[in-house]
Amino acid sequence: MEFAWIVFAFVCGFFVKLAGLPPLIGFLAAGFALNVVGVQPNDTLEALANLGITLMLFTIGLKLDARDLLKREVWAGTLMHMVLWTAVVTGILVVLSVVALPLFAGVDLRTAALLAFALSFSSTVCIIKILEENGEIRSRHGRLAVGILVMQDIVAVLFLVAATGKLPSPWAVGLLGLVFARPLLSKLLHQSGHGELLPLTGFLFALGGYELFSALGVKGDLGALVLGMLLSGDRKASELAKSLMSFKDLFLVGFFLSIGLSALPDWEMVFAAVALCAVLAVKIALFFVISIKLRLRARTSFLSSLVLSNYSEFGLIVVFVCVKAGWLTQDWLVVLALAVSLSFAITALVYRFAHRVYTRYKLPLRGWEHATPLPGDQVYRPSSAEILVIGTGRVGLGAFRALHDSVGDRVWGMDADRERIAAQVAQGMHVFAADAESADVWDSIDVSAMSLVLLAVASIEDCRNIAEQLKAAGYAGPIAAIARYEDEREALLNYGIDEVFNFFTEAGAAFAEDSLRLIDAAKVVRSAPVAGTSLERHDPHPLSETACRA
């Protein structure tokens, strides 16, 4: 039976990928297809799904700065949205009950309020997957969305405590002491090396956090997130996250399959689910207006609103608790499962065009902005940037340093990760924080003096968006980019990028070129005079200058 899951998931995911859509839509379709042919979920699939979610939350914790949760736009935005959404959607559901639509007839005020609250959550799994595929986890809107998701998880824990009447163990207070275990966790991480023991260490931390929190009566997924956050500042955190990426993506297939396998709806249930998905427009509007009122930029508000426009698998948990308590009928579990699945597909489809839509309608959207943006949203304007390196990670940083050695301060670096930029500014580097995919950024920068732009970003879709923004801002110079695979290189060239360097090929060529210099150094060694010959000056290190040049 497990082979049937793999076949259905591969076929649906493969054809959806060929259509240019995110594979998760195919995995959801595979779950419904398996359901139609009579396949039932079992403990193996559930275990895979839970493991995927646990690993995902742990890797998100590795990239999350706890200080982001203390920002007003995160905690206030989350609470304001949940309150307003619950009030508005409760009214909508009551109206649908009055007009006696199928399944909505007979929904009273309490039932409507519970459903509205269950639908106020957004899907952590779906959103993180979309942000990772687009390389936007560390962008301004990506960090905002992740912060809101974490705050929603905290609200979820409080609701489950109130709804079930089960308080955490008194020993749960001791979880605060985990902060003192950070040095030990960091030492274990560094001693694990770079091989197969590294991902196993990640499994140990993620599942250990889950089991520890669960044993003390706290949501286990929150434990995986907290363990990741404890290691988020470690210099090996990024390597650990990358080592877990393939495992996480594979196990998450089980999650998307399980959503489709959860129930098989009839036509009335399909109609009710579609009606609930239509209300997602209200969710987008509320997130956008609240973000604007909290002085966020229009682009940040728009993109975060779109990516948060879905329903959460946690909504199923809320409805399940309500069904057990007799507050809702069993049919609503099926309706919510279908609505969650449809909302995943809607978000994945809509967000694919989010950047282009914003570029087209940026003027009316920016008309909503507050006159004084938040300090962190103000764009620095470099005054002497002739060469711009976009992306100052490992590859971009290497390119920046090499160019700086040649042309000095005429080269600048740009990155959306403000923490990375702050550390590089402290080292005296000419870099600034900005999201290169934002039309707002290029409206603030004079591109007429630039003669070369290097795109050191991983996602080819990001490269395409940045190239479009540059050309729209009037930049006419050459654009260079990097690619990991040959098909990505061809795609970038088709997007109009002038030169694309294959990451692995160029790294090998540079390695060979630098290695050849060792031959020259060896010749210098053999030709150097030996000690005791008629030299006026004895140099104990005759290769020092040559080696430095090499």
Side-chain angles (χ1 to χ4, degrees):
M1 194 61 68
E2 286 78 1
F3 183 68
W5 300 343
I6 296 173
V7 171
F8 272 79
F10 173 78
V11 171
C12 293
F14 181 77
F15 283 105
V16 166
K17 178 70 173 177
L18 288 182
L21 301 174
L24 72 86
I25 297 177
F27 301 148
L28 290 170
F32 284 110
L34 287 167
N35 203 331
V36 169
V37 299
V39 175
Q40 296 296 318
N42 58 26
D43 293 342
T44 302
L45 184 63
E46 184 178 356
L48 288 175
N50 291 336
L51 185 56
I53 294 172
T54 300
L55 287 177
M56 183 199 68
L57 289 172
F58 176 71
T59 56
I60 290 306
L62 291 172
K63 305 171 186 176
L64 184 65
D65 187 347
R67 292 172 295 181
D68 287 344
L69 304 180
L70 302 178
K71 294 179 179 178
R72 189 184 63 160
E73 58 266 31
V74 174
W75 63 265
T78 303
L79 298 178
M80 289 170 64
H81 182 271
M82 296 188 83
V83 171
L84 290 175
W85 164 269
T86 302
V88 172
V89 176
T90 297
I92 292 174
L93 294 176
V94 169
V95 171
L96 294 177
S97 173
V98 171
V99 300
L101 286 181
L103 283 183
F104 290 97
V107 172
D108 58 18
L109 184 61
R110 183 181 68 173
T111 302
L114 287 170
L115 283 172
F117 177 72
L119 296 171
S120 68
F121 296 89
S122 298
S123 171
T124 301
V125 178
C126 177
I127 293 167
I128 297 303
K129 187 71 175 168
I130 291 172
L131 289 173
E132 284 185 339
E133 288 177 351
N134 287 275
E136 296 175 356
I137 281 288
R138 292 186 177 273
S139 66
R140 179 70 166 112
H141 63 276
R143 293 169 74 110
L144 174 65
V146 171
I148 289 174
L149 291 171
V150 174
M151 287 301 300
Q152 287 182 349
D153 271 351
I154 295 172
V155 174
V157 171
L158 297 176
F159 171 80
L160 290 176
V161 169
T164 61
K166 296 180 180 178
L167 293 173
S169 166
W171 294 102
V173 178
L175 293 173
L176 297 174
L178 282 174
V179 67
F180 300 107
R182 187 182 184 281
L184 175 61
L185 297 175
S186 180
K187 186 172 183 179
L188 286 173
L189 177 59
H190 285 270
Q191 291 296 323
S192 63
H194 307 283
E196 63 274 11
L197 192 58
L198 180 61
L200 186 60
T201 304
F203 274 78
L204 174 67
F205 290 160
L207 296 177
Y210 182 97
E211 295 296 336
L212 176 61
F213 274 58
S214 296
L216 296 176
V218 184
K219 198 165 177 272
D221 293 337
L222 191 61
L225 180 70
V226 169
L227 262 290
M229 291 173 63
L230 285 175
L231 293 168
S232 62
D234 195 282
R235 67 177 184 274
K236 204 172 181 181
S238 178
E239 182 184 352
L240 177 60
K242 290 177 181 177
S243 72
L244 294 172
M245 186 175 298
S246 297
F247 294 103
K248 176 202 65 179
D249 290 342
L250 180 61
F251 294 142
L252 281 178
V253 174
F255 168 79
F256 291 116
L257 287 175
S258 66
I259 290 291
L261 282 166
S262 58
L264 194 61
D266 57 29
W267 286 110
E268 284 190 353
M269 295 174 182
V270 171
F271 177 80
V274 171
L276 291 177
C277 286
V279 185
L280 285 172
V282 177
K283 198 167 199 175
I284 296 173
L286 282 176
F287 267 125
F288 179 78
V289 172
I290 290 171
S291 298
I292 287 291
K293 293 299 181 183
L294 292 172
R295 295 172 52 197
L296 287 163
R297 291 273 190 184
R299 180 177 180 273
T300 302
S301 303
F302 180 75
L303 294 179
S304 61
S305 300
L306 283 186
V307 80
L308 288 164
S309 62
N310 48 62
Y311 297 132
S312 171
E313 57 282 358
F314 179 75
L316 297 174
I317 300 174
V318 174
V319 172
F320 179 74
V321 171
C322 295
V323 168
K324 285 188 67 176
W327 301 336
L328 293 173
T329 63
Q330 187 77 24
D331 289 345
W332 281 106
L333 269 176
V334 183
V335 172
L336 259 292
L338 183 58
V340 168
S341 302
L342 291 175
S343 73
F344 286 2
I346 290 170
T347 302
L349 287 170
V350 170
Y351 195 76
R352 191 172 186 83
F353 307 98
H355 293 279
R356 294 177 217 172
V357 171
Y358 176 77
T359 300
R360 184 172 182 178
Y361 297 103
K362 65 180 180 180
L363 292 179
L365 288 171
R366 282 159 62 175
W368 289 73
E369 284 185 353
H370 194 279
T372 307
L374 294 173
D377 290 332
Q378 295 175 359
V379 178
Y380 180 81
R381 297 170 176 81
S383 57
S384 59
E386 293 184 28
I387 301 175
L388 183 63
V389 179
I390 298 177
T392 59
R394 285 182 294 181
V395 176
L397 185 59
F400 174 88
R401 285 173 171 165
L403 288 167
H404 190 271
D405 289 342
S406 300
V407 301
D409 291 339
R410 289 184 292 164
V411 59
W412 281 75
M414 173 198 293
D415 199 288
D417 189 340
R418 294 183 178 273
E419 291 180 4
R420 175 185 291 164
I421 289 295
Q424 292 169 349
V425 168
Q427 297 172 20
M429 297 170 57
H430 276 208
V431 294
F432 64 101
D435 190 341
E437 292 185 75
S438 171
D440 300 343
V441 169
W442 299 113
D443 288 346
S444 305
I445 296 176
D446 181 14
V447 298
S448 61
M450 294 183 186
S451 57
L452 175 63
V453 174
L454 284 72
L455 307 182
V457 294
S459 169
I460 62 171
E461 193 63 30
D462 289 351
C463 290
R464 177 182 182 176
N465 291 331
I466 295 170
E468 289 178 354
Q469 297 297 342
L470 279 166
K471 292 174 182 177
Y475 176 72
I479 302 174
I482 59 170
R484 292 171 295 177
Y485 310 106
E486 190 59 28
D487 59 331
E488 290 184 348
R489 181 178 181 275
E490 293 174 1
L492 289 171
L493 289 172
N494 292 333
Y495 291 158
I497 293 174
D498 301 281
E499 189 66 57
V500 182
F501 299 91
N502 185 296
F503 180 80
F504 298 111
T505 302
E506 296 300 325
F511 174 55
E513 181 181 347
D514 287 346
S515 298
L516 284 173
R517 294 174 184 171
L518 295 175
I519 298 176
D520 296 332
K523 291 178 180 177
V524 173
V525 171
R526 287 193 293 270
S527 62
V530 296
T533 58
S534 56
L535 285 175
E536 296 181 1
R537 173 180 170 270
H538 174 67
D539 186 353
H541 302 289
L543 285 180
S544 58
E545 185 177 349
T546 305
C548 288
R549 284 201 303 270

